[in-house]
């Protein structure tokens, strides 16, 4: 999944754009079961795995100690469990349905290539330690600067959380991007809080709505450019297969034009997750309402909800 930072539009953003947000989540998890003839713990997500995916998951599990040793070479005890997105990965107890859901994400992101998936998982764990994810989550960011930029509101018809990126909500670009490192910490923390809405038992992906209302593609600061480039790389490299659909709404005409120009060069698999939508509640609602119930969708996007909470 490629993620674009607010307000910026670069060649890497074009790849993301071209490569492509209810009901309540069930109150109880699906009971653990077993694959016929096997002892694999199951949930509603693992039951959808293909045979090739199961094969890859088992291969990754067999190499889990080596994965952790490479990710955390300074740890004295490699048998200590690791938590990724709220899921405990215990090398002493690798058969866990939620762990299988995490592992298959890395496999899918690398076309079921076990070696490449292993490499991606190692690099993700290393980066999370270096970035100090927990500290970013605890950091207090200026509410007036960052709070308007991101919202989590409602769920789609299958229970996936809907996450909004409101790129034009703060016109003070110097406040947002003046400190690029701070922006990146906020953006990663917002993504991590969005992932907290996933249980990895019934729901393991989110829907994103990227709203470009009020955004000008002609006035970009150096901070914007740096933030966009680095954020795009972070989300592409370290957050695999967490996106179900992404909708670009109220898109400036220039961005839409570039989309149509480059669309033939993007894979169908990637494109199917993304939708370029026009402007206005009626136009946007035609595209979003088949995915999100009207009572879960704000009026500004063609729904019935008053506004984003």
């Amino acid at each position: 999944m490629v993620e674009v930072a607010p307000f910026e539009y670069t060649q890497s953003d074009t790849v993301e754009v071209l490569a492509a947000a209810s009901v309540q989540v069930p109150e109880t998890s699906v009971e653990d079961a077993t694959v016929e003839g096997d002892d694999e713990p199951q949930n509603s997500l693992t039951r959808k795995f293909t045979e090739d995916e199961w094969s890859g998951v088992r291969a990754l599990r067999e190499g889990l100690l080596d994965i952790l040793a490479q990710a955390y070479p300074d740890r004295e005890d490699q048998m200590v469990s690791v938590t990724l997105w709220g899921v405990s990965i215990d090398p002493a107890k690798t058969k866990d349905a939620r762990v299988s859901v995490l592992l298959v994400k890395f496999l899918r992101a690398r076309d079921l290539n076990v070696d490449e998936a292993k490499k991606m998982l190692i690099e993700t764990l290393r980066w999370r330690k270096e970035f100090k994810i927990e500290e970013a989550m605890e950091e207090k960011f200026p509410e007036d600067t960052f709070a308007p930029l991101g919202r989590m509101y409602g769920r789609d018809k299958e229970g996936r959380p809907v996450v909004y990126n409101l790129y034009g909500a703060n016109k003070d670009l110097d406040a947002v991007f003046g400190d690029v490192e701070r922006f990146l910490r906020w953006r990663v923390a917002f993504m991590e809080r969005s992932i907290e809405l996933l249980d990895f038992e019934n729901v393991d992906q989110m829907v994103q709505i990227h709203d470009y209302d009020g955004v000008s593609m002609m006035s970009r600061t150096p901070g914007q450019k740096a933030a966009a480039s680095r954020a795009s790389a972070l989300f592409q490299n370290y957050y695999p297969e967490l996106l179900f659909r992404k909708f670009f709404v109220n898109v400036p005409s220039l961005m839409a034009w570039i989309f149509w120009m480059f669309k033939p060069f993007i894979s169908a698999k990637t494109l199917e997750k993304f939708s370029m939508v026009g402007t206005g509640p009626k136009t946007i609602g035609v595209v979003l309402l088949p995915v999100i119930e009207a009572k879960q969708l704000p009026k500004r996007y063609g729904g019935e909800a008053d506004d984003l909470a």
Side-chain angles (χ1 to χ4, degrees), residues 30-239:
V30 175
E31 294 290 337
D32 277 2
T34 57
V35 178
E36 185 177 355
D38 203 347
D39 60 348
E40 286 289 355
Q42 295 285 328
N43 61 31
S44 65
L45 297 172
T46 60
R47 290 191 179 95
K48 299 175 184 177
F49 289 5
T50 67
E51 291 184 8
D52 288 342
E53 287 173 343
W54 271 120
S55 178
V57 167
R58 294 184 179 106
L60 282 181
R61 286 194 319 218
E62 290 176 0
L64 193 55
L65 271 178
D66 182 55
I67 289 172
L68 296 180
Q70 292 190 54
Y72 307 106
D74 298 330
R75 290 202 323 184
E76 294 183 1
D77 185 0
Q78 295 298 339
M79 294 301 292
V80 176
S81 63
V82 174
T83 299
L84 176 60
W85 302 320
V87 178
S88 177
I89 303 176
D90 186 348
K93 186 182 178 182
T94 59
K95 285 191 175 182
D96 179 285
R98 298 175 78 214
V99 172
S100 296
V101 172
L102 289 190
L103 295 180
V104 84
K105 288 185 174 298
F106 291 88
L107 287 162
R108 289 169 177 167
R110 293 296 180 260
D111 296 322
L112 303 188
N113 183 309
V114 174
D115 290 338
E116 290 299 316
K118 176 181 177 180
K119 180 181 178 181
M120 187 182 193
L121 178 54
I122 291 170
E123 292 175 349
T124 296
L125 295 175
R126 285 176 179 170
W127 169 77
R128 293 177 68 82
K129 181 181 179 181
E130 295 168 359
F131 193 87
K132 300 179 180 179
I133 294 292
E134 292 77 10
E135 291 185 16
M137 293 286 288
E138 295 175 358
E139 186 171 348
K140 302 298 182 182
F141 299 97
E143 286 289 319
D144 57 343
T145 298
F146 294 105
L149 300 180
R151 290 284 191 275
M152 292 170 274
Y153 184 85
R155 293 183 179 269
D156 76 359
K157 294 181 179 181
E158 301 300 324
R160 303 178 190 90
V162 183
V163 180
Y164 294 81
N165 293 274
L166 309 170
Y167 295 162
N170 188 345
K171 306 298 183 184
D172 189 348
L173 302 186
D174 288 335
V176 176
F177 299 108
D179 184 338
V180 173
E181 298 300 328
R182 184 181 68 171
F183 169 80
L184 290 173
R185 292 195 302 274
W186 170 80
R187 187 63 188 86
V188 166
F190 180 67
M191 182 63 172
E192 292 286 325
R193 291 192 177 90
S194 301
I195 295 173
E196 287 179 348
L197 300 176
L198 310 177
D199 62 10
F200 298 100
E201 295 180 352
N202 300 290
V203 179
D204 68 335
Q205 291 182 312
M206 67 186 74
V207 174
Q208 293 181 349
I209 296 176
H210 286 213
D211 189 346
Y212 285 83
D213 185 33
V215 174
S216 171
M217 292 297 172
M218 301 302 177
S219 57
R220 298 193 299 266
T221 68
Q224 260 181 273
K225 297 176 182 179
S229 177
R230 292 178 60 186
S232 296
L234 292 182
F235 290 115
Q236 179 178 7
N237 295 334
Y238 308 125
Y239 291 88

